[in-house]
Structures are given as structure tokens and as C-alpha cells.
Amino acid sequence: MQEHFHFTTDRVKLQKQYASILLFVSAQLSSIQIPLQRRNRHLLKQKDEVIITIHVLGKLLGFTSERAWHRFVIGNLFPKDLFPERSRYNRRCRALSFAIKWIRHQLAKRGQHHAYAVVDSLPIELCHSSRMYRAKRFRGIADIGYCASKKIAFYGLKLHLQATDQGLPMGYVVTEASCHDRVAAETVMTQIPHPYNLGDKGYISQKLQKKLYEEHRVAFWTPVRKNQRILQSDAWKQWMKRKRKVIETVFSILVDSYRITEIRANSVSGFETALDGILLAYSLVVLRLVER
């Protein structure tokens, strides 16, 4: 289906999206030094900002296959002789992963001025459940975990994400599937600290709340369990439930439109580059810097 995407795409809209991303990326790259040691620099077919723009545009359009995306670019944006071959394009994307991460981090800082942030986790399944005991993909990094909301065991990773009330992704951590939400919570919330944070019952820990406030001045609220002696009014519970829905909306968009759970990379660097590209593309849309 992705391979035939160029028959139905709006080329005018595509060019507008490409131009918007390129303008933003070029402005960001001009403020940092890119320490890449290259041989045959004079043979480069496209500049770094173009490679980053193409990578982000692919994630914006929901491509998961790098082969299909490269074929789409050759057929719609660049002639074959003016764009790197697929393997070289992929290597340059991975080499520029630090720049993609830095740009996304600068965008995420804008979320510190939003009203509040919400923390939650998303399971990333790497294989079908029938193969999870013999899967080799990311062996030693991924493992078997349990998704309480879906009530299923799965082999894969877990994305811990902090998003603002306007849906802007801020800090994130990728862990093994068996990692408890409380373990990664401090790392996620202290990357780009927001003073007000909400979480679900999986983050209940008075020790964690105390540490976050005393060391980082981060207030963290969660619902209470029935066996706790802390009293919360029904109005407060309903308010928290309503405010925490934003993270579910963010995850739904990332899964359905950006296909974040379908990343095909088999290397850590490739997976990280694809993930940062997806979050950067989504951030640009949330901040209305790019039209989707």
C-alpha cells in the first residue's frame, strides 16, 4: 500500500510540508556545530538539513518501510541522480541522529510553559505473542512484560513518555517491557522538568513524590488506591481522570497515524533515530509549524 502512495498524494501539499520542515530544520542546524568527519565531502548529493527533513517527512506521512519511503522520495521529490542511494541515506540518517534528538529537545522545552504534563507508558510489541519465547530481535535489551490495560503479556519494549496538556511530547525513556512505570518515572520527568505532573495508579509512590519535589521542585499527583488512608474528593478524582486523557489521545495518534509501534529497525541506533523522527514530526504538528 505504501509503495503506491505516490498515485494518490497531493503534490502541492507535499511540497508545502517539505518546505516548512526544511525551513525549521535549517534554522535549528545553523545554531549548532555538526562534528561529522566525512571523506569525499565534495561528493555529497544533499546537505544534512535536507536529509533530516526527508527523514522527518517520512515519519510525518506514516511510512514504516525505509525501502518504500526511499522509492517514494525518488519518484516524487528528487530525481535519482540527485539523492543518495538507500543504504547511504539510512547511514546518514543514523549519523545525524544526535541533531534530530537535539532539535526535538529544543521543541520539547516549549512545553515548560504549558499548564501541566502527564506521564504514562506505551507497550511496543516486537513480535507476535506466539513467538515471544524464541524471538531474537533486540535480544538482551527487550524482554517479556505485561500490559495491564490490555491484560496481555508481550515481548518488546516500553516507551515512557511525558506530554503536556496540549499534547506536546517532552521527556521520554525506552526500557525493557518488564520495567515498572515507577522505575522510569524520575528519569522521564527530570529530562525537561515541568512543575506540575499527573500520573495514573501505576506511579503511586510517596517516596517518589517526595524525592521529585525536594530535589527537582516537580509536583507529581496520582490517584489513590482503595486501601490507602489518603482521602480524595470525587470532584478531584474526576478532574484528574479528565486531565489524564490527553496522554491517551497522544498515544492513539502516535500509534494510528505515525505508527510508532511498527518501527522495523533491527539496530538500537536505527530504532532510536526512527523514534526521534516520529516524535519530532508529531511535535511540529502539535506546535502548528507543519500542516499534516
Side-chain angles (χ1 to χ4, degrees), residues 5 41 43 60 66 68 76 96 108 118 141 197 206 242 263:
F5 187 61
R41 185 183 294 269
L43 297 178
L60 178 68
E66 293 298 338
N76 293 274
L96 291 167
V118 186
I141 300 175
N197 294 269
Q206 293 183 358
R242 186 170 64 252
I263 297 175

Side-chain angles (χ1 to χ4, degrees), residues 37-189:
Q37 300 297 326
R38 291 195 179 102
R39 294 177 296 177
N40 302 324
R41 185 183 294 269
H42 63 287
L43 297 178
L44 288 178
K45 292 185 177 181
Q46 294 295 337
K47 296 181 179 180
D48 292 334
E49 49 265 37
V50 174
I51 297 299
I52 294 175
T53 299
I54 292 297
H55 175 72
V56 175
L57 181 61
K59 304 310 176 187
L60 178 68
L61 297 179
F63 278 82
T64 58
S65 169
E66 293 298 338
R67 184 187 297 273
W69 172 236
H70 187 269
R71 188 182 296 117
F72 176 86
V73 171
I74 296 300
N76 293 274
L77 290 171
F78 292 96
K80 188 174 182 179
D81 58 335
L82 293 181
F83 197 76
E85 62 174 345
R86 182 172 57 87
S87 60
R88 184 172 294 277
Y89 163 72
N90 291 336
R91 288 197 300 272
R92 287 191 64 186
C93 285
R94 291 195 295 270
L96 291 167
S97 62
F98 75 96
I100 298 172
K101 187 181 292 291
W102 186 88
I103 295 172
R104 193 205 71 83
H105 191 268
Q106 296 304 308
L107 277 182
K109 286 182 179 179
R110 303 187 185 187
Q112 292 177 310
H113 303 291
H114 295 180
Y116 64 91
V118 186
V119 183
D120 206 350
S121 62
L122 174 71
I124 300 179
E125 193 172 0
L126 296 179
C127 71
H128 193 272
S129 57
S130 61
R131 297 177 51 246
M132 64 182 179
Y133 292 104
R134 50 189 172 90
K136 297 181 180 180
R137 189 181 178 195
F138 289 114
R139 179 176 291 181
I141 300 175
D143 64 4
I144 298 175
Y146 182 76
C147 180
S149 60
K150 298 180 180 179
K151 297 182 180 180
I152 59 169
F154 70 98
Y155 173 84
L157 303 167
K158 186 183 286 188
L159 172 65
H160 305 264
L161 181 68
Q162 177 190 36
T164 68
D165 61 306
Q166 297 181 28
L168 179 65
M170 293 180 68
Y172 81 89
V173 174
V174 178
T175 65
E176 65 275 12
S178 61
C179 180
H180 197 280
D181 291 350
R182 287 196 305 267
V183 177
E186 182 180 357
T187 305
V188 173
M189 286 186 281

Side-chain angles (χ1 to χ4, degrees), residues 138-289:
F138 289 114
R139 179 176 291 181
I141 300 175
D143 64 4
I144 298 175
Y146 182 76
C147 180
S149 60
K150 298 180 180 179
K151 297 182 180 180
I152 59 169
F154 70 98
Y155 173 84
L157 303 167
K158 186 183 286 188
L159 172 65
H160 305 264
L161 181 68
Q162 177 190 36
T164 68
D165 61 306
Q166 297 181 28
L168 179 65
M170 293 180 68
Y172 81 89
V173 174
V174 178
T175 65
E176 65 275 12
S178 61
C179 180
H180 197 280
D181 291 350
R182 287 196 305 267
V183 177
E186 182 180 357
T187 305
V188 173
M189 286 186 281
T190 56
Q191 289 180 8
I192 308 174
H194 193 288
Y196 309 111
N197 294 269
L198 304 176
D200 58 22
K201 291 183 180 180
Y203 294 93
I204 293 177
S205 172
Q206 293 183 358
K207 182 179 178 181
L208 173 63
Q209 291 173 309
K210 182 179 179 181
K211 184 178 181 181
L212 285 171
Y213 185 76
E214 291 180 350
E215 296 184 8
H216 307 284
R217 291 301 177 205
V218 170
F220 187 41
W221 293 285
T222 64
V224 296
R225 295 193 180 96
K226 294 181 180 179
N227 60 353
Q228 286 184 283
R229 297 182 180 180
I230 302 173
L231 296 179
Q232 290 182 342
S233 66
D234 292 337
W236 170 259
K237 293 178 182 178
Q238 290 298 320
W239 181 86
M240 281 198 65
K241 185 177 180 180
R242 186 170 64 252
K243 295 299 181 183
R244 284 192 291 109
K245 282 185 178 180
V246 65
I247 194 70
E248 301 299 335
T249 303
V250 171
F251 282 153
S252 178
I253 295 173
L254 289 175
V255 171
D256 296 337
S257 300
Y258 295 83
R259 305 171 77 175
I260 197 170
T261 57
E262 300 177 36
I263 297 175
R264 298 186 182 184
N266 290 316
S267 66
V268 175
S269 60
F271 185 92
E272 187 177 14
T273 303
L275 181 60
D276 280 316
I278 291 173
L279 293 178
L280 175 55
Y282 177 65
S283 299
L284 290 171
V285 173
V286 171
L287 294 173
R288 298 181 180 179
L289 297 173

